[in-house]
Amino acid sequence: MIEVKDGALLAGRCLCGAVTFTAAPQGGMHACHCESCRRISGGVSLSVNCGDSVEVAGPVATYDSSEWAERQFCPACGSGLFWRLKAGGMTMVSVQAFDDPSIFAFEDEIYIDSKPANYDFAGDRPRLTGAEVEALYAPGED
């Protein structure tokens, strides 16, 4: 595994190639076990935060998945590509969409309390519950 330096511009694409992108990952790979990620990806979602650095060529479709986030995918092949905070500042990019997904270190797991009992990832890393994640990223009550 090659260590990705923050700010390094990497390329990726959807399955059919209709959508291509470049992005500068910030840190390592995150595993999300929330129900939405599991349903949209067919399993655990593995992604990397690229902030607002994502540059996209080609059409993307957007699904409004919550009050505070949206998901983007290729309208031709259906590849899930991006999860974005509506307020900006965070775009999680599917590591499998990058040209070389093996370069990302496994950093943490989120929504660990939503993970089904039929799988576990080995190794020690931070594991946050859904409430802990939402306290960090969801908009506060006014």
Side-chain angles (χ1 to χ4, degrees), residues 67-131:
E67 291 181 27
W68 47 289
E70 62 189 16
R71 296 167 188 274
Q72 294 184 307
F73 57 95
C74 173
C77 68
S79 295
L81 299 168
F82 314 115
W83 177 97
R84 297 179 188 262
L85 277 178
K86 290 179 181 177
M90 178 183 277
T91 301
M92 301 301 291
V93 178
S94 170
V95 296
Q96 302 305 330
F98 282 99
D99 290 342
D100 183 2
S102 69
I103 63 176
F104 299 104
F106 199 165
E107 194 167 292
D108 62 16
E109 298 179 56
I110 61 174
Y111 285 87
I112 195 68
D113 52 329
S114 296
K115 183 188 75 57
N118 63 344
Y119 70 86
D120 286 305
F121 289 117
D124 291 327
R125 68 188 53 82
R127 291 174 170 89
L128 302 176
T129 66

Side-chain angles (χ1 to χ4, degrees), residues 39-51:
R39 289 190 182 273
I40 205 161
S41 71
V44 63
S45 175
L46 302 174
S47 61
V48 62
N49 185 10
C50 294

